[in-house]
Amino acid sequence: MIKAVIRVIGRRLLAIVPVFAVVTILVFGALRILPVDPAQMSLPPSATIQQVEDKREEMGLNRPIWEQYTIWFKRAVVGDLGVSSQYRMSTATIVLERLPATIELVMCSLVFAVFVGTVGGLLIFSANGTPFASVGMMVTSAVMALPDFLLALLFILLFGVLLPIFPVNGRLDPGLQVPVHTEFLLVDSLLTGDIKIFASALNHIALPVMALGLAFSPTIVRVLHSSLINTYQQSYIRQARLRGLSDREILFGQALKNAILPVVILVGTQFGGLFGGTLLVEMIFSFPGLGNLMVKAMQTADLSVIMAIALIYCATTLVFNSLADAAAYLLNPKLRNG
């Protein structure tokens, strides 16, 4: 079983290589046709025309676009993603500094969304045919209609202004510092054993997590609810009832493990969307992650940073789609036997 799963994951990951290569070509080409001169952007405003031309030659911008891409690709393979025109330093360094914050935000949001969506789906399914189920589906539809950035603004108004329970910017209270072990603030604060720092980090990430997680959880509720309804129409559920199993035993022992498969696939395929949703949410909460960096890079036409972050978003989506396929293979006997 383990070997088969590893083989499936390997095949899926290999399949994304040509797709990722095509995406790099498309993104690179799109950025190069913009009316922005990367050479001029990488130099101080006082640079002379000759200095700009020399920089263009150094960066290979006076060559055909396919040669420019080849140069960029060769450098990117060894980790050289260029120099940020805004920060005047290595793009790879800047991106890697911001990446852990976004990963931490997305993973916490995913856990929150899966928990809320699973509990909500089970509660609504258990209450089928009652007013509670109708109200629950209505609330789910209402939340689904609200984008994550609007939820972020509503949470700031509610929990940051009217009821100032949570902080609305940054990752940590001013004056607090935590030794760096893993670059993940929640993990590092736990490793230090300082509950005050952990509580501060948790309070700061709470509203962004709620905004991203609640935007995704209604979809999980609906998929799980529909999957449970279809599962309960299967013959083995009727046989379980004939054997005298209780509703709880049927739900958690028989139905849920089969009904959860579409949710697993959904989480994997939509993870990229959740990752991309950090773009505006991080900006709204001044959260120092990739989304915030991307917005600032677009405002200043920092092409190397835009390229790097766009490729991270793309790679994340492709990898998690592949992992979702592997999870479906692991959880669905029909796929393994087919």
Side-chain angles (χ1 to χ4, degrees), residues 253-320:
Q254 302 285 329
L256 187 57
K257 64 181 180 181
N258 294 313
I260 203 70
L261 177 60
V263 175
V264 173
I265 298 174
L266 172 71
V267 170
T269 55
Q270 295 299 314
F271 184 85
L274 188 63
F275 205 86
T278 61
L279 198 71
L280 293 180
V281 170
E282 286 187 1
M283 193 67 183
I284 291 171
F285 289 103
S286 299
F287 196 83
L290 285 184
N292 201 335
L293 179 63
M294 182 67 151
V295 173
K296 292 180 180 178
M298 290 189 291
Q299 291 173 341
T300 58
D302 195 342
L303 299 187
S304 63
V305 172
I306 295 173
M307 181 77 180
I309 298 177
L311 294 184
I312 289 176
Y313 285 155
C314 172
T316 302
T317 302
L318 293 174
V319 168
F320 272 85

Side-chain angles (χ1 to χ4, degrees), residues 178-190:
V178 57
V180 177
H181 300 289
T182 65
E183 299 288 348
F184 298 102
L185 191 55
L186 290 174
V187 176
D188 288 343
S189 60
L190 284 176

Side-chain angles (χ1 to χ4, degrees), residues 237-257:
I237 298 295
R238 292 191 294 270
Q239 293 171 4
R241 286 200 177 103
L242 292 175
R243 293 200 304 269
L245 296 181
S246 66
D247 290 340
R248 183 183 182 87
E249 290 173 328
I250 292 174
L251 177 59
F252 292 101
Q254 302 285 329
L256 187 57
K257 64 181 180 181

Side-chain angles (χ1 to χ4, degrees), residues 42-337:
S42 64
L43 293 172
S46 58
T48 63
I49 295 178
Q50 185 59 45
Q51 288 174 324
V52 173
E53 289 300 322
D54 292 341
K55 190 65 176 179
R56 286 179 57 82
E57 185 173 356
E58 177 188 337
M59 298 174 66
L61 297 176
N62 54 349
R63 302 182 183 185
I65 190 169
W66 65 268
E67 287 189 21
Q68 295 181 39
Y69 173 78
T70 303
I71 294 172
W72 173 86
F73 183 79
K74 289 180 178 178
R75 292 175 177 174
V77 168
V78 296
D80 182 3
L81 298 177
V83 177
S84 166
S85 61
Q86 179 183 2
Y87 298 97
R88 313 291 180 185
M89 59 185 296
S90 168
T91 296
T93 300
I94 299 171
V95 170
L96 290 177
E97 286 177 354
R98 300 292 190 98
L99 182 59
T102 296
I103 292 177
E104 187 172 64
L105 173 60
V106 171
M107 294 309 297
C108 290
S109 301
L110 184 63
V111 171
F112 179 80
V114 170
F115 175 78
V116 172
T118 303
V119 172
L122 290 174
L123 289 176
I124 292 176
F125 176 78
S126 300
N128 267 345
T130 68
F132 176 83
S134 300
V135 172
M137 294 302 290
M138 188 181 302
V139 171
T140 299
S141 299
V143 176
M144 189 180 293
L146 299 175
D148 48 26
F149 69 88
L150 183 55
L151 285 171
L153 294 173
L154 291 175
F155 287 149
I156 288 177
L157 178 62
L158 181 59
F159 298 115
V161 179
L162 298 179
L163 299 171
I165 301 174
F166 298 106
V168 296
N169 58 68
R171 297 182 72 193
L172 208 60
D173 290 335
L176 292 180
Q177 292 184 344
V178 57
V180 177
H181 300 289
T182 65
E183 299 288 348
F184 298 102
L185 191 55
L186 290 174
V187 176
D188 288 343
S189 60
L190 284 176
L191 291 177
T192 61
D194 193 324
I195 299 301
K196 182 179 180 181
I197 295 179
F198 177 75
S200 175
L202 198 60
N203 284 336
H204 278 78
I205 204 174
L207 291 185
V209 164
M210 290 169 59
L212 285 171
L214 282 181
F216 183 37
S217 58
T219 307
I220 297 177
V221 171
R222 286 181 170 271
V223 170
L224 180 58
H225 181 260
S226 297
S227 183
L228 282 169
I229 291 176
N230 292 333
T231 300
Y232 266 71
Q233 295 174 354
Q234 303 301 314
S235 60
Y236 67 87
I237 298 295
R238 292 191 294 270
Q239 293 171 4
R241 286 200 177 103
L242 292 175
R243 293 200 304 269
L245 296 181
S246 66
D247 290 340
R248 183 183 182 87
E249 290 173 328
I250 292 174
L251 177 59
F252 292 101
Q254 302 285 329
L256 187 57
K257 64 181 180 181
N258 294 313
I260 203 70
L261 177 60
V263 175
V264 173
I265 298 174
L266 172 71
V267 170
T269 55
Q270 295 299 314
F271 184 85
L274 188 63
F275 205 86
T278 61
L279 198 71
L280 293 180
V281 170
E282 286 187 1
M283 193 67 183
I284 291 171
F285 289 103
S286 299
F287 196 83
L290 285 184
N292 201 335
L293 179 63
M294 182 67 151
V295 173
K296 292 180 180 178
M298 290 189 291
Q299 291 173 341
T300 58
D302 195 342
L303 299 187
S304 63
V305 172
I306 295 173
M307 181 77 180
I309 298 177
L311 294 184
I312 289 176
Y313 285 155
C314 172
T316 302
T317 302
L318 293 174
V319 168
F320 272 85
N321 283 350
S322 299
L323 293 178
D325 289 342
Y329 177 87
L330 177 63
L331 294 173
N332 192 342
K334 295 181 180 179
L335 294 178
R336 296 197 301 270
N337 299 328

